Amino acid sequence: MKEKMFSDIKHNYETIVRNISDAAVASGRRPEDITFLAATKTVDPEFINYAISLGLKFIGENKVQELLSKYEAYDLDNAQLHFIGHLQSNKVRQIVGKVSMIESVDSLKLAQEISRQSIKQDITTDILIEVNVGREENKSGVMPENLEELLCQIALLPNISVQGLMAIPPICENEQKIRGYFQNMRNMFLDISAKKIDNIKMGTLSMGMSGDYREAILEGSNLVRIGSSLFGARNYN
Ligand SMILES: *Cc1c(COP(=O)(O)O)cnc(C)c1O
């Protein structure tokens, strides 16, 4: 069973790398301009580290408890760890200093806590701002119309550095519709870049998952977060 899992991961990894390269070139960029991050929820560190041995450089967890329980086992000499899930302010302390980026910041309160905990550790924490691009109720992410104000507030905080934007668009059947969400994100990314807000970098646009990462790259993404296409469908039992 395990041997099959390793050979599936290898095959999937090579396929994804090829697809990313093709989409990068088709969008007028170089393959190395796109970051491939593996979303590793529910995946045993043994398999995560195997993917790292194949060349994977970024991994992402979406739950604090799971990240902490697997933290000692990750091969972080050879890969960087991002936090990509919904984060409560009271858990920030547990991951600051352990992750190289928090991709899912969507409120001033959360950013203030990341700033505070980073000051304590004398480090700067890189973050992305998560945008609720589909304007879905009960979903994480700042509403698009509030993005600029939030950025201007976070820009004033010490020991936290905005590096770009992240989004998880609504699940849609229709490729045109999903592309529309990606285009909206790219437009926000370019608008904010053009405004040159002090202390705000717009270098990373994190969007695209297993089902839509090629489309996301074609629409300007430079960080894709891929889980099931690499490790297989998840079993949450
Ligand atoms: C699980 C997860 C992904 C990857 O989803 P797949 O469809 O399995 O590729 C991407 N981003 C976040 C925030 C996730 O939690």
Side-chain angles (χ1 to χ4, degrees):
M1 269 327 280
K2 211 187 240 180
E3 288 314 309
K4 170 88 167 82
M5 184 74 180
F6 282 129
S7 74
D8 285 352
I9 291 171
K10 182 161 196 284
H11 174 261
N12 294 340
Y13 179 80
E14 287 166 357
T15 303
I16 294 164
V17 167
R18 205 175 325 117
N19 289 339
I20 289 174
S21 293
D22 290 349
V25 170
S27 68
R29 289 174 292 169
R30 296 168 303 171
E32 59 269 30
D33 294 336
I34 314 296
T35 298
F36 170 13
L37 176 143
T40 50
K41 56 177 162 279
T42 76
V43 179
D44 191 292
E46 181 177 12
F47 298 125
I48 300 171
N49 290 343
Y50 176 66
I52 293 171
S53 78
L54 298 173
L56 180 72
K57 296 277 186 301
F58 292 85
I59 61 175
E61 290 287 353
N62 69 329
K63 291 206 167 70
V64 170
Q65 222 41 56
E66 184 175 349
L67 182 151
L68 294 175
S69 73
K70 288 151 80 175
Y71 184 72
E72 294 300 328
Y74 300 127
D75 176 11
L76 294 182
D77 290 336
N78 294 300
Q80 291 188 39
L81 175 61
H82 286 191
F83 189 78
I84 61 176
H86 180 64
L87 181 59
Q88 290 167 298
S89 300
N90 62 1
K91 296 199 172 157
V92 165
R93 178 177 49 81
Q94 298 178 273
I95 64 164
V96 164
K98 290 193 165 69
V99 298
S100 69
M101 184 179 273
I102 299 174
E103 295 200 16
S104 42
V105 178
D106 62 358
S107 72
L108 181 60
K109 180 171 176 244
L110 182 56
Q112 283 167 330
E113 182 60 13
I114 294 168
S115 171
R116 245 162 38 94
Q117 296 299 335
S118 301
I119 292 168
K120 278 194 192 168
Q121 294 189 35
D122 196 22
I123 59 172
T124 294
T125 301
D126 286 343
I127 65 163
L128 303 180
I129 305 300
E130 181 175 353
V131 180
N132 186 349
V133 68
R135 311 182 52 81
E136 294 171 279
E137 284 192 34
N138 306 318
K139 191 151 166 185
S140 307
V142 60
M143 286 295 176
E145 65 273 24
N146 300 329
L147 172 62
E148 193 177 336
E149 186 188 359
L150 178 62
L151 282 167
C152 289
Q153 291 167 327
I154 294 177
L156 303 175
L157 300 174
N159 296 56
I160 185 168
S161 177
V162 176
Q163 299 290 324
L165 305 179
M166 182 270 234
I168 307 173
I171 298 162
C172 20
E173 321 284 289
N174 168 332
E175 187 182 312
Q176 268 326 103
K177 213 167 165 198
I178 187 92
R179 281 204 171 214
Y181 289 120
F182 291 145
Q183 284 161 8
N184 288 349
M185 282 303 301
R186 200 222 331 229
N187 290 338
M188 281 181 248
F189 184 77
L190 294 176
D191 280 353
I192 299 286
S193 288
K195 288 189 172 138
K196 301 202 186 304
I197 305 169
D198 267 353
N199 269 330
I200 300 291
K201 297 195 190 98
M202 281 289 131
T204 301
L205 180 54
S206 173
M207 57 186 193
M209 318 201 301
S210 289
D212 54 23
Y213 67 93
R214 296 178 201 76
E215 290 79 11
I217 293 169
L218 292 173
E219 300 298 347
S221 168
N222 59 17
L223 192 166
V224 291
R225 307 175 310 270
I226 298 175
S228 48
S229 287
L230 178 61
F231 296 113
R234 289 179 290 276
N235 178 357
Y236 286 104
N237 293 331

